Structures are given as structure tokens and as C-alpha cells.
């Protein structure tokens, strides 16, 4: 399905800001992880669906991090739905949520630990959570 034209400058700005990679929250989390001495890979395609990517990957420990935008992934605190083209957006965002859940389940079935971080979360708190998961895996938990 093609994207309808954004109906206002505000929506348009939000789309372009949130659709891109290397978003500010993601960069902050990556910096926080580096400060903790962690090394990782970025934007790895997922084996079962190469169109999906893991934002931050710890391949050896099999920990997969997704940094989810509040708009695109319908964060419970900040989810908003554009008024124009409401039906399109409701369906599209619902599909995103369903795909996220499917990704979580399938990665877990393959032995991955999946961590989802909202873009509104404090980067250091998120990095702490991620570090614990990675170190836990290393110690063979
Ligand atoms: Zn949020």
C-alpha cells in the first residue's frame, strides 16, 4: 500500500523524523553501550525475513535490541493517530505492532533474547537493561 500524502507540515515532519535510521535515541543508546565497553553490530537483517532488521545486535550472546519510535510502534504513552487518512494509519500502525510481536516470538523461538526500547526511555536506563542481558548471556545464564 502506498503512503498517502502527509496532510500537514506537522505530520510530514514527524514522518520524516521517525522513519529514518540512526535516530537520536538510537545514537544515545549506542553511545551509552560503548561507554559500558559493549561492542555490537547494527541493522542486521533477520534470517527468517530479510526485510526486517535488528537495530542493535549482539550476535554471540544472541541479544537483539529494537529501538522503537513512539509513533511507528504505538507506544502506550505517546501513540498518536493522524486525523487525516485515519483508516490508513490505524491499519498501518496495527500492522507494525503485529509485526513487532511476530518478530519477538520468532526470534525467541530461535533462542534470541529480544529487548525493545522505546525512543522516550532514558538512554542510560535502557543501556543498563541491555548490559545486564548481554552479561547474563555471557555468564551462561
Ligand atoms: Zn513513548
Amino acid at each position: 500500500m502506498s503512503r498517502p500524502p502527509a496532510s500537514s507540515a506537522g505530520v510530514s515532519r514527524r514522518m520524516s523524523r521517525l522513519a529514518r535510521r540512526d535516530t537520536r535515541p538510537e545514537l544515545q543508546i549506542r553511545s551509552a553501550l560503548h561507554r559500558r565497553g559493549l561492542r555490537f553490530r547494527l541493522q542486521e537483517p533477520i534470517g527468517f525475513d530479510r526485510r526486517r532488521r535488528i537495530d542493535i545486535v549482539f550476535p554471540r550472546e544472541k541479544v537483539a535490541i529494537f529501538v522503537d519510535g513512539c509513533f511507528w510502534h504505538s507506544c502506550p504513552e505517546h501513540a498518536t493517530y493522524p486525523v487525516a487518512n485515519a483508516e490508513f494509519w490505524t491499519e498501518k500502525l496495527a500492522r507494525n505492532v503485529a509485526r513487532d510481536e511476530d518478530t519477538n516470538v520468532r526470534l525467541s523461538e530461535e533462542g534470541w533474547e529480544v529487548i525493545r526500547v522505546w525512543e522516550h526511555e532514558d538512554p542510560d536506563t535502557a543501556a543498563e537493561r541491555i548490559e545486564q542481558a548481554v552479561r547474563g548471556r555471557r555468564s551462561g545464564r
Side-chain angles (χ1 to χ4, degrees):
M1 194 188 295
S2 63
R3 172 183 296 184
S7 58
S8 75
V11 169
S12 173
R13 217 178 307 121
R14 186 170 50 191
M15 300 304 152
S16 58
R17 189 170 75 236
L18 294 184
R20 70 166 194 236
R21 276 181 201 161
D22 297 335
T23 58
R24 188 158 168 272
E26 204 176 318
L27 291 173
Q28 289 176 322
I29 290 166
R30 276 150 53 178
S31 308
L33 292 172
H34 277 137
R35 282 198 299 276
R36 290 162 186 269
L38 296 173
R39 294 293 174 264
F40 43 82
R41 301 197 345 216
L42 300 173
Q43 295 293 332
E44 290 278 307
I46 300 177
F48 58 74
D49 182 349
R50 308 288 292 175
R51 288 168 304 175
R52 303 185 201 183
R53 287 171 184 274
I54 304 173
D55 293 325
I56 300 172
V57 193
F58 295 86
R60 198 158 48 90
E61 297 85 355
K62 290 192 94 170
V63 176
I65 315 301
F66 295 90
V67 182
D68 290 343
C70 294
F71 172 75
W72 290 107
H73 300 267
S74 299
C75 148
E77 289 174 43
H78 307 109
T80 54
Y81 297 89
V83 174
N85 305 305
E87 194 179 339
F88 169 88
W89 285 109
T90 304
E91 284 174 16
K92 176 168 184 59
L93 296 175
R95 272 200 310 277
N96 285 353
V97 171
R99 192 178 52 227
D100 291 344
E101 286 170 2
D102 178 68
T103 299
N104 292 351
V105 168
R106 291 165 78 173
L107 282 174
S108 300
E109 283 171 358
E110 293 182 3
W112 287 81
E113 180 159 347
V114 180
I115 296 180
R116 287 193 177 266
V117 178
W118 290 114
E119 67 172 344
H120 69 250
E121 283 186 52
D122 173 67
D124 282 310
T125 309
E128 170 71 29
R129 196 147 56 95
I130 293 164
E131 182 178 21
Q132 281 181 8
V134 170
R135 299 212 186 280
R137 286 257 167 164
R138 282 182 192 164
S139 60
R141 183 188 49 186

